Amino acid sequence: MKKQLFLRIFLPVLFAFTACSDSNDEIGNGDVTISTPAITATTGTSLTVTSSITGSINQVVKKGFCYSVNAQNPTIKDNIADADENFSATISGLMGNTSYYIRAYVYSDSHYTYSDALKATTENLSIDEQLKNYVAPTYADNYVNIAAWDQRSEWNLANVHDPTVVLAEDGYYYMYQTDASYGNAHTAGGHFHGRRSKDLVNWEYLGGTMLEIPAWVKEKLNEYRATMGLEAIAEPSYGYWAPVVRKVKDGLYRMYYSIVIDNYIKTGATNTNANFDNSWTERAFIGLMETSDPASNKWTDKGMVVCSSSDKGINWARPALTDWNAYFKWNAIDPSYIITPESTHWLIYGSWHSGLVAMELNPETGMPKQSLGAPWAEGSAPAEYGQLITTRNAASRWQASEGPEIIYNAATGYYYLFVAYDALAVPYNTRVCRSKSITGPYLGIDGANVTEGADMYPVVTHPYKFSNSNGWVGISHCAVFDDGNGNWYYASQGRFPENVGGNAYSNALMMGHVRSIRWNSQGWPVVMPERYGAVPQVAITEDELVGNWEHIDLSYSYGKQKESSNMTLAADHTITAGTWKGGVWSYDAEKQILTANGVELCLQRETDWEANPRTHTIVYAGYTNNKTYWGKKTK
């Protein structure tokens, strides 16, 4: 229901955009031929390239090179470097030991012509040299000017909502998401849109993985309606929400996705206040798609996995819109999928109704291990639909928690369940709990049992604002993943606050965020306050910590964007300004842990996104007494 309200409020708002078109672009033509680029010099941060033209050279008005980490056939919509009169250029500001795809281009006779692509790799700099030569990402966070569908090649991480990320065999990270975008731009291209990246910074848009709704959704919906004695819905209103993607084994990837039916149960009318018929809205479904090759962006649908289930039999009456005693006990949205160390497969799902549940799957098919009966019963939801693992309030059937993401960390021996709390427009925040067993009980950092309805702590992300920025809100419904080398990441959307720059719809701007995760000494994940920008991880020295910091008490406050205050770490290990003034600090260089005012803070080098120009800095994150702290060093 919460997401339905959001989609109705924001997504119908349409905007007009302009974009350059590459519909006349060619790779070679009868008038001009361009040779494949050749490398004439290589450093750790640059590539010098050259090419040549034959044909109608006098018609050429512009020439250069386009390049990309991700796009194997880059165009002028990617990165470009102008060529000199000899058709040569030095492409600078590159990352060390990184491969780039490069094509030469010319503009003549009112269109662009491209060469074949060359793949070239920069030299491997020492990590100190990499930090010295670091170039921060330059893409704009306010992407209004490129939000339209015909500018999707420029999106990078623009128009991302409820992401899921998987590292594939080909070395790419693939990201998929809920159907949501600024101005409804995504509706031109199918559902569960994908993009990919080699470096988690530069992302190539791939398009929709599902081009039309599978026939089984309407068939199963109306099959259940017939059993309930209801007329079929001829044209259901669909929502496409929150997929999860995992690699099962080499050559097999599974995507579980949500399809929501936004029609009233009693009459089948579309869900509007005017149509309210004293019933709840229809059930949601979770389906399954598979692929052997994410790069193809082609997925094969395998059908229904599970649907929303009820403990009220077929008593779907709702006295009034102000009644929140939900018909469905378990709501079939927001799947998360995990393969345990014992090779059992589990689907975690739920949201906004009575809590989150775990359902075991058949490893071979990805379908429920137990056959599913009718999705309703009297007194309790059918057991085969899953068992409760967390609830925000055991006494409530309507609770603001959703978007589960579950992972297992072999280094700590725990399952970690990340959960989104509260409404998504501004208050959205992320919590985490953990368990030694996939089915619980799950405990918070304070030892409270969240399987039985305790408040979940710690707070992992929360609306926030550093100086010289608008800050971010709506930071939740996350993906958590690793690179196979012990490095963990957190991905989510981040929203602009409301009415930024006079834009009444700025809160519908959804930029994909990727952040690094560190694990504190008690085995809890802390998410870095600044977004990941591929900053080389040179060891942080104690001398670098002396000076001024921006400090945020990120502890929970509903709907409030927590702002930074100044804090100063003095060379004599005292804290001389800020909330912790009068305290002391120490540093464990081996573990890269700063302890300030008695709080353990994990350090990391990250991009300073608020600096102008952007550069690198040092950030921290930590927990104590159910409180969360973020901070960054200022220049």
Side-chain angles (χ1 to χ4, degrees):
M1 178 65 71
K2 181 267 306 184
K3 290 187 178 178
Q4 292 168 347
L5 291 173
F6 164 75
L7 294 173
R8 285 203 303 277
I9 292 169
F10 286 100
L11 295 188
V13 181
L14 301 179
F15 300 84
F17 302 92
T18 59
C20 60
S21 172
D22 61 355
S23 59
N24 293 322
D25 294 351
E26 302 179 19
I27 301 179
N29 60 61
D31 300 322
V32 175
T33 300
I34 312 173
S35 67
T36 303
I39 301 296
T40 61
T42 305
T43 71
T45 58
S46 69
L47 295 166
T48 301
V49 292
T50 187
S51 184
S52 61
I53 317 170
T54 56
S56 302
I57 299 176
N58 60 334
Q59 299 293 322
V60 173
V61 296
K62 186 178 181 180
K63 56 191 175 183
F65 300 89
C66 45
Y67 59 98
S68 173
V69 171
N70 292 319
Q72 295 185 15
N73 289 297
T75 71
I76 59 163
K77 293 181 179 180
D78 295 295
N79 305 291
I80 61 171
D82 293 333
D84 60 21
E85 60 183 11
N86 297 317
F87 211 154
S88 296
T90 297
I91 304 171
S92 57
L94 305 180
M95 296 180 291
N97 194 30
T98 301
S99 295
Y100 291 85
Y101 298 99
I102 306 169
R103 289 205 294 176
Y105 73 87
V106 299
Y107 184 74
S108 64
D109 194 22
S110 300
H111 63 257
Y112 286 92
T113 305
Y114 295 91
S115 71
D116 290 331
L118 167 75
K119 185 178 181 181
T121 303
T122 53
E123 292 180 355
N124 192 9
L125 292 173
S126 72
I127 197 164
D128 288 314
E129 290 174 314
Q130 290 179 47
L131 185 62
K132 180 180 178 181
N133 291 286
Y134 175 70
V135 177
T138 59
Y139 62 80
D141 288 329
N142 190 334
Y143 61 87
V144 168
N145 292 333
I146 60 165
W149 176 251
D150 59 2
Q151 292 173 289
R152 59 193 179 279
S153 66
E154 300 178 56
W155 283 358
N156 198 9
L157 282 170
N159 281 330
V160 167
H161 188 67
D162 300 340
T164 179
V165 180
V166 64
L167 176 58
E169 296 163 62
D170 60 6
Y172 279 96
Y173 294 91
Y174 288 84
M175 178 185 288
Y176 306 90
Q177 65 178 80
T178 284
D179 280 23
S181 62
Y182 186 75
N184 263 342
H186 70 278
T187 56
H191 311 289
F192 307 117
H193 295 240
R195 63 195 79 199
R196 67 177 184 174
S197 174
K198 284 280 191 179
D199 60 5
L200 298 176
V201 177
N202 301 287
W203 292 83
E204 174 190 7
Y205 178 77
L206 298 176
T209 59
M210 177 188 288
L211 299 183
E212 58 185 25
I213 184 102
W216 67 260
V217 180
K218 182 177 174 180
E219 291 170 359
K220 291 300 295 185
L221 168 69
N222 287 325
E223 175 187 318
Y224 289 134
R225 288 182 63 83
T227 305
M228 298 169 78
L230 298 166
E231 292 185 0
I233 301 176
E235 298 294 335
S237 177
Y238 298 113
Y240 303 82
W241 292 353
V244 63
V245 175
R246 298 284 193 259
K247 178 184 174 184
V248 180
K249 58 184 178 181
D250 286 351
L252 179 59
Y253 300 81
R254 286 179 177 153
M255 179 191 297
Y256 292 89
Y257 59 85
S258 306
I259 300 286
V260 177
I261 312 300
D262 199 17
N263 301 77
Y264 288 114
I265 297 175
K266 181 178 180 180
T267 61
T270 303
N271 177 15
T272 67
N273 287 358
N275 286 340
F276 179 60
D277 62 5
N278 293 107
S279 73
W280 287 87
T281 50
E282 264 290 2
R283 69 192 65 251
F285 294 88
I286 292 174
L288 170 63
M289 295 193 291
E290 293 182 346
T291 188
S292 61
D293 179 20
S296 72
N297 212 38
K298 295 179 180 178
W299 293 73
T300 301
D301 197 83
K302 297 295 182 178
M304 172 182 155
V305 179
V306 69
C307 68
S308 302
S309 57
S310 177
D311 57 351
K312 293 183 176 183
I314 57 172
N315 180 18
W316 27 254
R318 187 182 188 189
L321 288 170
T322 53
D323 175 72
W324 299 104
N325 189 28
Y327 169 61
F328 294 111
K329 180 77 170 177
W330 312 136
N331 191 15
I333 64 171
D334 297 350
S336 185
Y337 173 40
I338 188 169
I339 302 172
T340 71
E342 296 76 31
S343 298
T344 60
H345 294 226
W346 293 82
L347 190 74
I348 311 299
Y349 71 94
S351 297
W352 275 83
H353 287 210
S354 300
L356 308 174
V357 296
M359 183 176 71
E360 190 170 0
L361 302 172
N362 181 323
E364 297 303 315
T365 65
M367 294 295 175
K369 187 174 181 179
Q370 289 183 270
S371 297
L372 300 181
W376 57 75
E378 294 286 351
S380 62
E384 67 270 22
Y385 282 75
Q387 66 180 90
L388 180 72
I389 57 172
T390 70
T391 179
R392 186 166 180 177
N393 181 343
S396 174
R397 296 180 70 93
W398 193 261
Q399 45 192 270
S401 63
E402 63 162 27
E405 171 72 325
I406 193 164
I407 58 104
Y408 178 78
N409 186 347
T412 66
Y414 281 99
Y415 295 92
Y416 293 85
L417 183 62
F418 296 78
V419 179
Y421 266 42
D422 299 335
L424 62 80
V426 173
Y428 230 19
N429 62 99
T430 306
R431 313 293 182 96
V432 68
C433 55
R434 70 184 185 183
S435 175
K436 287 289 187 178
S437 167
I438 184 67
T439 55
Y442 283 85
L443 307 180
I445 198 169
D446 55 359
N449 189 329
V450 298
T451 299
E452 296 179 350
D455 283 341
M456 188 184 301
Y457 287 100
V459 171
V460 178
T461 65
H462 190 284
Y464 76 98
K465 182 180 184 297
F466 282 120
S467 298
N468 304 315
S469 74
N470 296 304
W472 295 96
V473 301
I475 312 160
S476 198
H477 199 130
C478 65
V480 177
F481 58 98
D482 70 323
D483 64 358
N485 297 309
N487 300 304
W488 289 83
Y489 302 93
Y490 170 106
S492 71
Q493 70 272 356
R495 294 176 176 274
F496 269 38
E498 297 170 330
N499 299 309
V500 169
N503 181 352
Y505 307 103
S506 62
N507 190 235
L509 286 164
M510 298 164 281
M511 176 62 74
H513 288 194
V514 178
R515 290 177 164 84
S516 292
I517 291 175
R518 286 200 59 193
W519 301 84
N520 71 12
S521 61
Q522 287 75 48
W524 287 94
V526 291
V527 172
M528 293 297 109
E530 290 281 32
R531 288 169 284 159
Y532 179 78
V535 177
Q537 291 306 306
V538 178
I540 298 166
T541 65
E542 183 170 299
D543 289 346
E544 292 180 275
L545 304 183
V546 175
N548 297 321
W549 294 74
E550 287 191 55
H551 174 80
I552 300 178
D553 181 341
L554 204 72
S555 305
Y556 181 61
S557 182
Y558 181 85
K560 182 178 180 182
Q561 195 175 9
K562 306 300 284 289
E563 298 189 17
S564 65
S565 60
N566 294 324
M567 181 176 75
T568 302
L569 303 184
D572 65 357
H573 288 249
T574 61
I575 303 172
T576 59
T579 304
W580 290 346
K581 181 179 179 180
V584 297
W585 66 274
S586 61
Y587 181 51
D588 186 328
E590 180 180 354
K591 296 180 180 178
Q592 302 277 278
I593 296 291
L594 165 67
T595 300
N597 202 42
V599 181
E600 176 188 304
L601 302 168
C602 298
L603 295 178
Q604 183 115 332
R605 294 191 190 273
E606 294 292 353
T607 303
D608 188 340
W609 291 83
E610 293 77 34
N612 187 16
R614 293 169 180 161
T615 184
H616 58 83
T617 188
I618 301 169
V619 299
Y620 63 67
Y623 307 127
T624 183
N625 298 326
N626 288 7
K627 295 175 75 68
T628 302
Y629 300 102
W630 274 3
K632 74 168 183 176
K633 181 77 183 295
T634 57
K635 299 297 182 183

